[in-house]
Structures are given as C-alpha cells and as structure tokens.
Amino acid sequence: MALLLMAPSVASSADPPKVAVFPFDIFSTEPLGSLRNGLQDMLQTRLAKKGWKVIDPALVRQALARINKPVDLSLARKVAGELGADFAVYGSMTKIGSRVSLDAKLLDVLGMQRLQSYFVEGMGLKALPKLTDQLAHDIALSPTSGEKVAAVKVKGNRRIEAAAIKAVMSTKAGGAYSALRLDDDIKAIWKLGYFDNVRASSEDSPDGKVVTISVVEKPTIGEIKVSGNSEVDTEDILDQIDLKVHQVFRPTALKDARRKIVQMYRDKGYYDAKVKTEVVTLKSGQLGIHLQVQEGKKVLISRIVFKGNKAFSDSTLRDKMKTAGSGFLSWLTDDNVLAQEKLEQDVERIADFYYNQGYMDAKVSAPQVSRGKEGLVVTIHVVEGKRYKISSIAVQGEMVVDRKKVMQSLSTRTGQWYSRSNLRKDMRKLNDLYSSRGYAYVRIRPMIRRNPATATVAVVFDIKKGKKVYFEHIVITGNRSTRDKVIRRELGVAEGDLFSGAALRRANMRLHRLNFFEDVHIVPSRGSAPDRMNLAIRVKEKRTGSFMIGGGYSTLDGPMVIGQIQETNLFGRGQRLSLKAQLGGKSTRYTLSFTEPWLFDRPISAGVDIYNWDREYTTYDKRSIGFRVRLGFPTPIPSTRLYTYYKLERNTIDDVDENAALVIRDQAGTSTTSSIRFIVRRDTRNNYFNPTRGSDNSISVEYAGLGGDNAFTKVIVDSGWYIPVWFKHVVVLHGRAGWLRQNPQGNLPIYEKFFLGGINSLRGYDYWDVSPKDPATGDSIGGNSMLQFNLEYRFPILAKAGLIGVVFFDAGNVWASENGYNLGDLRASYGGGIRWYSPLGPLRLEYGRVINPRPGEDTSNWEFTVGSLF
C-alpha cells in the first residue's frame, strides 16, 4: 500500500514578498566585526530558500554607506523603500561568555502590518548557522500578503472528526494567511498517523483565503482472527498485541504483533513457533487480520554443559544458576525454559562464585545455545586462571576505634582465599563503623596488590574519616494522606542529631515495614555548612485499605471461608482497623480490631479486639463473646517486647453429649472470665513463614479472677530455635511447657486446660487426644501441666518454588496435676511430610506415626492444613 504525502497547492496569486536584509549590529567583547555582513549573507540565503525574493545584500550595504548612520526603524524603512522592497529585516547579535543570541525585526515598509520581533539563542559561535536557520523559519512564517484566512475546510474524512484535524493546525479561520505555516500544518496532520494522503489547497474569496485540507484515511481493522493456537489462549494473545478492532491499521503494529506472539511461545519453550499473517479486505471496506500460529513442539533445555572448569564440578556450578536442565519437577518451576535475561544473570552468578573463591582472573563466556536430540544444550566456557590467597591484610589511616578491634571484626583473613564478597562486606562494616559515629563522608579505599608469581594478594584498607556531620533539616514530601509525625517517629533521627548511616538504614526498613508506601527514598544532601546534612524523605503512597476473601480446608476445622476488610493507615495516623470473619465447618469467628501503634506518640502499641467465637468440640459446643485490650512496650533488649492483655469474656457451653464425662457435663451453662496476661517475647527469626536461623522465645503469665466466675493462673514457656546446617537444610528445636492452677475464688473451665495432639503439637495423635482421660467414658478432660518437644529436620525439595520436606520426632504429655511433670511418661511420634510456602501461607501435608500406641488410639494420622507453624 503506497503512502504518499503530497505537497500542498498553496501558491498565492500575488508575487512573493521582496525583502531587504540589513547587516547585523554586533555586541561582544571579542573582535567579531566580520559577522556583521556574514550574518546578513546567511539570513538572506536562507530566506531565499524559503521562497522570498531578497534584495542583493551588496546593494543594501552600498545604500547604507552613502547615508553612514546606524540602522534604526526610520532608516530601514527609507533604504528598503528606495530599493523597492516590501519588507526590511534588521537586528543584532549579542555574545556574553559562551552564550550567543540573535534579535531581529521584520518591518512592513508600507506600514500595513505592525513590527514583528524575533529572538533565538544558543551556545557558542558554532551555533550561529542553526540559529540563523531558526530565525529564517520564524520570519518566513510571518504573514506577508496581508490576506486573512476566511475559512478552513476538511474533506475526505469519515471517521476522524474535522475538529481533531483542525486542532493540530496553526492556520485558523480569521487568522493571517501564510503558505509556509500551511506547509507545517500538513506535516502536523500527517504525524497523526491516520491518513494515507494529505493535500492542501487555497482559493481566493471576497473575505480572504479559503483553505481546504483533503485527506485519504487509512483503513481500520474490522476483525482479528487467531488460529492454530492451543498452548496459548486467544484472549492472552489479543491482550498482548497492539492490534485492536476499529483501530487504524498500521503495518508496523502487525510486525510487532507477530514478534510478541513468537516470544510468548518461546517463554513457554516453543522455540520453533511461527506466525503467518494475512490481511484481507472485508465487505465493509475494513481490513481483516488473520494470525495463523504454527506452534511446533516444545523444546526445553535438556543439558547445561561447562567447558574449561577444573576447580569445580559441573554440578557445583549448576547449583549457582536459576536456569536448569530438565528434571523430575521441572514442570513446576519452568527452570528448563530458556530465558535469555535469566541466563545472562546466571553467568554473572557463576563469575561471582569464582571471584569469591579466589579466582580473580576468572572469565565466564556468554552462553552458547544449540539444538540437541533431546532439547536445547547450553554450553558455558570458563577460564579459571590462578587462585589467589590473602597474604596480608591491614587497616591504615584515621582510626576512631582500636585498630586490633577493627581487624578482629573483618571477614577477610590472612591465609584465606581471596573473596570479593568478603571484601565488600568489610567495606560496609568499616563504613558502618564510621558512619554510626557521625562521619557521613568517610572514604574507604581498598588497595589490592597482587603477586602473580606467588598467587597472593595483600589487602590494605585506607580510611579518610572526614568531619563529623549533624542533621540540619529533614523534609518529607509525597505524603498526601499520611501525617508527617507518622513518618518522623519511624526515622529514629531528628534535626540536630549526629549522622548515622545505620540509623538511616533502620529508618528505611521501618518505613517499608509500615506497608503504607510503594516507594521510599531517603536522600541525603549537603547542608549549609560542611558539617551539616539535610535529609529529603520522599514517599509514594499506596492504597492501605483492603478487602480479602478466601477459603481453605484443614483436618481440624474442615472447609472454611475467610473474609477481611482492613484499613492499616486510618485517617493517615498509622492506626489499624479491621473486621475479620472466619466461617468453618466446626467453628465460626468474627473479630473487630483497632490498633494504635504509637500511644501518646510513644513507641507503645495499644489496641482492642471485640470478638464472637463459636466452636464445636467432640462432646460439646462453646460460644464466646468478649473483648480484649492490648498494650505493647519496647524493652532495652534488642528484638524483645513486653505485651499486656486484659480480657473480659462470656462463655456458654451447651449441646453437651449426654454420654460425656461428668466433668464435661458439669461445664454446661454460662460463665465469665476476667483476666490479665503478660508476655515477654524475643523474636530474632530471619523469616516469619520459613525461618532458617534465629529463635523465637516467650514467657506468658495469665491471671484470671479479676471478677467473673473463672479464676486460674496459667504460665506457658515457649522456645523455638532454627539452626542452619548446610545448603538450606535446617534443624528446628522447639519446646513448650505449661502450668495451670485453679484459684480459690472461682472455677477452672475445661477449655482453659492443656491438651496435645494434632498437627501443631504431637503429630500422629488425634486433635486433643493426648490428655488425662475420664475413667468412666474415656473422654479427654484436659490437664494442669504440659510438656511438648519437637525436633524437625527441614530440607529443600524445590527451594525456588518454596517446596520443602520435613522429618520429625515429637514427644510430650499432659498431666492432671500442676506438679505432674514426668519425663519418663512422654508420648512420642515420628513421621514426615511436605510443606509449600505459598502466597496464602504455609500449606502442610504431614504423616505421623505413634510410638507405643495405647489401646483404642489410632496408630497413625495424615493431617493437612493451611496456617501458621510453631
């Protein structure tokens, strides 16, 4: 299809304007007098190319020489008139430093039009040709015929409204007519991209020029058909391409669509996929686009081969890559699909691995991909080079801490293999050491001296501490809803404080943890003095209100539906308000919660929960309605907080099994619990869902009897330790002990007693099955003391997908007396399972087998749940 831009027929019946260009006045401290006539010649040449009739510059200069006066408006009108010109152009050039500007005036000799002024500027004398071009263009656009535009008409348009075309034109009805301006208008219309042909013409009328724009519209797309695709949905294809029905057809968009479809198939492993395109004309005159896909067979990475590696095996190097060859679980992760960007990152990871193992000269080539019988073969060439050891390490320069202590804190050691990663860690440690003491502009330069003959490296850290720096101004921007104080209280620094790089990193972490912002940027800048620094806190807020609905299933609660409405930044104060409902086969719970994280602008959290909880137990049903007041306090111990809870709860026990134990039947009716609870918790885990190191330890004491019917004291000690062993394998040690005593002034309800059994305590046993039994009925009636031990070994099955395996040994028991602890009377089980740390939370499928089951007990149990772990 030919695309043609026709030159417009805009020639006026009048002769082209005749202009006299005068020499330019020069204002500069440099001797640039030669430009006086030079600019005159350049401008007259460019105006001549624009279609103007220009008086010979030599004649203009001769006329000026006879008069011998500076050029002004009167002189320009007189000389131009004598030379028979319709217009005169005169002006000046000014040069100040490297900046150059041109000022010009366009004078109508007969005085029919007012004086026009023009100004252009640039840098350096080299810019003069371009500046003169611009000046000539601007002058040529000026109306010179004195004619007005009577009307602007548009012809040939069917879908594109005339108003849309006129909107991009400078030529307007009632305005001055300019042929050059009309030429620019045609270019602007053409750039809209809607037309195959654009023409312009003008006709004289009693009221002025009538300008007509004639266009031929490009065809539009009437239909888009996709065929031959089975692996990629048609909707997905249409969503990705830029071709849309009723859109103007663009051949480049068709080419781009073909490329995108092929890439979609490549991302799924179909590297032989091809797309044929066909464009047909429909009866309506619109175009039909037919995309015919030839998918071919799926071609995946079958092998990754290394060449040149001697120090490390192929399997060791493959472990550093995210790309992998075909394996048993490849379908789950698509790691065997060739992704060029991911493969390039893998090459960088391998190179980093070599650099961190002492191979300072290692080179890893770009991957070569070839076709094999079973799929794609990726070949990576490695040049290892020599392996270097650290011969010596030293710290020199300006010290703020004892040199020996600094040396002891470094990761790099004499005799170790050189590691670029350790070197970076040490630079960060030294930087933190100085920045935490106020030296914001400390400079740490590692000097590395290699000795290829001995394959050794001497490392010296040279330190220039600079001056101590204090924060001067802290300015917060971007927070439209969140109040300044909510952000400032998370910073940990204020105006006048000594600079601390560690404090700024913690501030950045805390602001991100608020989850109020999409982006947080803490940008330091120099203050009013060398020892002053300003901070710009730039945030981009995101929506903090959310609505969630989901479902799940567990062996304990059966099927369940969970819904929640939540606002985490109420009125921009950082407060949290939520309403949560959980509807399960055996339990229903509604909770309305409010939390103030900074009570009285102190780091004290406060909150209240109002709840209604119905639960179906084996031999009875329990309904609870109540509220809880919460307080949380920081402590001097890192990662440790003190929590206080007050609870007032009304409980109803009904629908008691008539064959239940007497102690359970005695629970029927309504009772009230008024209690206070204290918890000290220290949590240093590196991850909430799947920790691999750290610990979580807590002590809880609850006292009930502040009024109400129930009175008891309950103490629970909980400790979990996560110990990494090797390559993401983790040993977990968990222990829990409980002690419960009935207070004289009230009752001890059965649901406050201890029970074990189930996926979160002793696996293999039924839920709540490990408990003292009623001698008459065999029902579990709970105990006053409890011990629980869990030993787990967690190992990755498919770490990238969050799939891990676990084997475990559980032990524990519950005794009727608060002093009934007996380590010789522990129930035990063992087993294993798999866990998937999904976006919805940990999904667990585990099998436990009971050791020495008692009569009537199950010997084993499968359990499945989605929820938290101990």
Side-chain angles (χ1 to χ4, degrees):
M1 183 180 295
L3 302 179
L4 179 64
L5 174 62
M6 300 296 295
S9 300
V10 294
S12 170
S13 59
D15 292 333
K18 186 182 293 185
V19 61
V21 179
F22 287 76
F24 275 59
D25 293 332
I26 306 298
F27 301 104
S28 174
T29 57
E30 304 174 37
L32 301 175
S34 60
L35 291 176
R36 177 176 169 80
N37 295 338
L39 288 170
Q40 178 194 19
D41 293 337
M42 280 196 288
L43 184 56
Q44 71 88 19
T45 301
R46 285 156 173 76
L47 286 174
K49 290 181 179 179
K50 298 289 184 181
W52 287 44
K53 188 174 182 180
V54 184
I55 302 294
D56 187 350
L59 296 177
V60 177
R61 290 193 286 266
Q62 289 174 8
L64 289 176
R66 290 193 298 270
I67 300 173
N68 194 23
K69 289 183 180 180
V71 178
D72 57 13
L73 186 146
S74 299
L75 182 61
R77 174 174 282 124
K78 178 181 178 182
V79 172
E82 290 175 353
L83 295 174
D86 302 309
F87 294 89
V89 176
Y90 65 97
S92 64
M93 184 205 84
T94 302
K95 185 174 186 296
I96 301 175
S98 59
R99 185 166 296 279
V100 177
S101 62
L102 296 180
D103 291 272
K105 308 286 186 184
L106 176 64
L107 171 66
D108 182 356
V109 174
L110 298 178
M112 302 294 291
Q113 300 179 45
R114 63 183 180 180
L115 188 70
Q116 303 288 324
S117 299
Y118 307 91
F119 175 81
V120 291
E121 65 176 344
M123 300 298 293
L125 295 177
K126 292 182 179 180
L128 284 177
K130 289 186 177 180
L131 296 179
T132 310
D133 284 338
Q134 182 63 46
L135 192 61
H137 179 270
D138 293 346
I139 292 172
L141 284 177
S142 301
T144 56
S145 66
E147 292 186 278
K148 290 186 177 181
V149 178
V152 177
K153 299 180 180 180
V154 179
K155 291 183 178 181
N157 58 310
R158 292 182 297 170
R159 294 176 303 273
I160 311 302
E161 293 183 1
I165 298 173
K166 292 179 181 180
V168 300
M169 296 177 62
S170 299
T171 302
K172 305 290 184 183
Y177 175 78
S178 168
L180 192 60
R181 182 179 288 116
L182 190 57
D183 185 54
D184 286 348
D185 288 340
I186 292 175
K187 294 176 183 177
I189 296 169
W190 177 257
K191 286 181 181 179
L192 290 174
Y194 298 138
F195 308 107
D196 278 340
N197 196 315
V198 181
R199 295 174 182 266
S201 61
S202 64
E203 296 178 353
D204 293 327
S205 75
D207 299 324
K209 291 283 189 180
V210 176
V211 175
T212 302
I213 305 295
S214 301
V215 297
V216 177
E217 292 181 342
K218 288 187 176 186
T220 57
I221 299 172
E223 67 176 17
I224 302 173
K225 291 183 179 180
V226 182
S227 61
N229 57 307
S230 60
E231 295 299 325
V232 181
D233 292 339
T234 299
E235 288 119 358
D236 292 338
I237 291 175
L238 295 178
D239 285 343
Q240 289 296 319
I241 63 178
D242 293 330
L243 296 172
K244 307 296 177 187
V245 175
H246 305 308
Q247 210 177 53
V248 171
F249 172 73
R250 292 178 292 114
T252 54
L254 182 61
K255 183 178 179 180
D256 189 57
R258 187 192 303 115
R259 179 188 60 79
K260 286 183 177 180
I261 296 171
V262 169
Q263 188 59 49
M264 290 175 73
Y265 274 92
R266 281 181 170 269
D267 291 342
K268 288 180 172 290
Y270 292 86
Y271 294 98
D272 296 328
K274 297 178 182 177
V275 179
K276 291 184 178 180
T277 60
E278 183 182 9
V279 181
V280 298
T281 303
L282 305 176
K283 292 181 180 179
S284 63
Q286 293 180 297
L287 298 181
I289 309 298
H290 295 171
L291 304 170
Q292 301 169 357
V293 180
Q294 298 177 359
E295 295 180 332
K297 293 183 179 180
K298 200 168 189 177
V299 184
L300 300 171
I301 298 173
S302 60
R303 289 186 299 139
I304 299 177
V305 179
F306 292 90
K307 298 289 182 68
N309 54 311
K310 298 177 182 178
F312 303 103
S313 65
D314 286 13
S315 61
T316 299
L317 298 182
R318 287 193 201 102
D319 287 341
K320 309 303 173 187
M321 303 175 64
K322 290 190 175 181
T323 307
S326 297
F328 176 68
L329 294 174
S330 298
W331 59 273
L332 190 59
T333 62
D334 283 340
D335 286 342
N336 59 341
V337 173
L338 179 63
Q340 194 62 38
E341 184 177 351
K342 184 166 70 172
L343 198 57
E344 291 172 0
Q345 293 172 353
D346 285 335
V347 168
E348 294 177 6
R349 291 186 186 96
I350 295 169
D352 284 340
F353 173 71
Y354 269 98
Y355 298 151
N356 294 332
Q357 300 297 322
Y359 293 90
M360 302 178 68
D361 302 322
K363 296 180 180 178
V364 183
S365 68
Q368 298 175 352
V369 181
S370 59
R371 289 288 289 269
K373 292 182 179 180
E374 298 178 357
L376 300 175
V377 178
V378 177
T379 303
I380 300 175
H381 293 268
V382 177
V383 177
E384 295 179 333
K386 291 184 177 181
R387 194 177 190 186
Y388 288 80
K389 270 189 177 180
I390 304 294
S391 60
S392 64
I393 182 168
V395 178
Q396 68 180 27
E398 300 170 339
M399 307 302 297
V400 297
V401 178
D402 181 71
R403 197 184 305 270
K404 289 183 179 179
K405 290 183 179 180
V406 174
M407 292 292 294
Q408 291 172 357
S409 69
L410 298 180
S411 301
T412 307
R413 295 276 190 272
T414 301
Q416 288 181 342
W417 297 113
Y418 170 83
S419 169
R420 189 168 67 178
S421 175
N422 284 344
L423 202 66
R424 289 172 177 166
K425 288 179 184 177
D426 290 337
M427 291 181 66
R428 286 196 295 268
K429 285 180 181 178
L430 292 172
N431 189 81
D432 289 347
L433 181 69
Y434 280 76
S435 67
S436 64
R437 288 166 170 77
Y439 297 98
Y441 303 118
V442 60
R443 191 193 69 177
I444 299 168
R445 185 165 61 95
M447 297 184 293
I448 300 173
R449 299 184 178 91
R450 283 197 283 182
N451 187 338
T454 59
T456 57
V457 177
V459 179
V460 178
F461 292 102
D462 184 63
I463 303 173
K464 303 292 184 185
K465 66 181 183 181
K467 291 184 177 181
K468 282 192 173 185
V469 176
Y470 297 83
F471 293 118
E472 186 173 14
H473 299 295
I474 300 178
V475 179
I476 301 171
T477 58
N479 53 320
R480 297 181 179 179
S481 301
T482 307
R483 303 193 179 196
D484 271 22
K485 73 173 185 178
V486 173
I487 298 174
R488 287 184 182 275
R489 68 194 185 193
E490 299 293 341
L491 297 180
V493 296
E495 284 92 344
D497 287 355
L498 191 65
F499 172 86
S500 172
L504 292 185
R505 283 193 297 274
R506 289 193 296 269
N508 188 66
M509 179 186 67
R510 286 194 294 265
L511 289 174
H512 275 97
R513 189 182 293 168
L514 287 175
N515 204 28
F516 299 165
F517 311 110
E518 289 183 11
D519 290 309
V520 176
H521 296 286
I522 301 179
V523 183
S525 60
R526 294 184 180 271
S528 60
D531 63 343
R532 293 291 181 268
M533 174 179 284
N534 295 325
L535 277 184
I537 313 296
R538 301 170 186 166
V539 298
K540 182 180 180 182
E541 291 183 321
K542 64 180 181 181
R543 294 181 179 177
T544 52
S546 63
F547 171 77
M548 182 272 290
I549 187 168
Y553 178 86
S554 75
T555 51
L556 176 60
D557 290 317
M560 67 183 112
V561 176
I562 301 172
Q564 183 175 16
I565 300 174
Q566 178 176 254
E567 172 56 62
T568 59
N569 189 14
L570 190 64
F571 307 124
R573 299 174 183 270
Q575 299 162 336
R576 181 187 299 265
L577 179 66
S578 70
L579 175 62
K580 184 176 181 181
Q582 178 177 316
L583 310 177
K586 296 182 180 180
S587 67
T588 301
R589 186 167 190 169
Y590 302 94
T591 306
L592 177 65
S593 298
F594 173 79
T595 302
E596 168 56 75
W598 283 69
L599 187 63
F600 308 125
D601 290 328
R602 303 290 299 277
I604 300 172
S605 62
V608 60
D609 307 310
I610 303 172
Y611 57 88
N612 188 339
W613 188 7
D614 295 347
R615 183 165 187 83
E616 178 185 329
Y617 292 90
T618 306
T619 56
Y620 63 91
D621 293 345
K622 172 176 173 277
R623 295 196 306 273
S624 302
I625 184 169
F627 73 89
R628 184 176 66 167
V629 178
R630 301 174 270 112
L631 291 172
F633 304 88
T635 69
I637 305 172
S639 306
T640 305
R641 287 184 70 86
L642 170 65
Y643 300 93
T644 303
Y645 300 86
Y646 171 74
K647 178 178 71 174
L648 180 61
E649 183 177 84
R650 184 173 180 267
N651 302 290
T652 302
I653 302 294
D654 59 11
D655 200 16
V656 180
D657 192 327
E658 60 182 12
N659 297 318
L662 179 61
V663 67
I664 297 176
R665 283 182 280 142
D666 287 344
Q667 300 285 318
T670 300
S671 64
T672 302
T673 301
S674 177
S675 70
I676 189 168
R677 185 182 182 193
F678 299 94
I679 301 175
V680 177
R681 184 176 184 182
R682 185 171 189 268
D683 189 352
T684 61
R685 293 175 296 173
N686 63 342
N687 186 285
Y688 179 74
F689 283 129
N690 185 23
T692 57
R693 66 177 67 248
S695 64
D696 184 11
N697 303 280
S698 65
I699 301 175
S700 166
V701 179
E702 182 178 7
Y703 177 83
L706 306 173
D709 306 299
N710 302 322
F712 58 86
T713 302
K714 181 188 287 188
V715 179
I716 297 176
V717 179
D718 197 289
S719 180
W721 296 80
Y722 304 85
I723 306 168
V725 283
W726 65 284
F727 190 61
K728 298 183 180 179
H729 290 235
V730 180
V731 171
V732 181
L733 302 174
H734 176 254
R736 196 164 181 257
W739 176 86
L740 176 65
R741 184 187 70 181
Q742 181 177 350
N743 296 335
Q745 70 269 32
N747 303 318
L748 176 58
I750 188 171
Y751 48 80
E752 293 291 353
K753 291 188 174 184
F754 295 116
F755 298 84
L756 291 179
I759 197 168
N760 288 319
S761 58
L762 298 187
R763 287 157 284 194
Y765 295 89
D766 284 336
Y767 179 69
W768 276 25
D769 196 41
V770 179
S771 159
K773 308 290 185 180
D774 182 86
T777 65
D779 291 334
S780 297
I781 57 175
N784 292 60
S785 57
M786 173 271 292
L787 282 177
Q788 173 189 334
F789 301 101
N790 308 97
L791 172 64
E792 287 189 355
Y793 183 79
R794 301 178 185 176
F795 54 93
I797 296 176
L798 208 58
K800 297 171 185 176
L803 188 66
I804 71 168
V806 59
V807 293
F808 62 82
F809 173 80
D810 295 340
N813 209 345
V814 178
W815 297 274
S817 169
E818 61 263 26
N819 299 317
Y821 298 105
N822 182 359
L823 293 178
D825 182 28
L826 296 180
R827 312 302 310 282
S829 64
Y830 66 92
I834 58 173
R835 294 176 185 169
W836 178 37
Y837 292 93
S838 72
L840 298 178
L843 183 150
R844 303 171 61 185
L845 176 63
E846 297 177 16
Y847 172 79
R849 189 167 186 83
V850 176
I851 300 175
N852 298 323
R854 293 176 180 175
E857 287 183 338
D858 290 337
T859 59
S860 62
N861 263 310
W862 280 99
E863 294 194 85
F864 171 81
T865 188
V866 178
S868 60
L869 307 174
F870 54 74

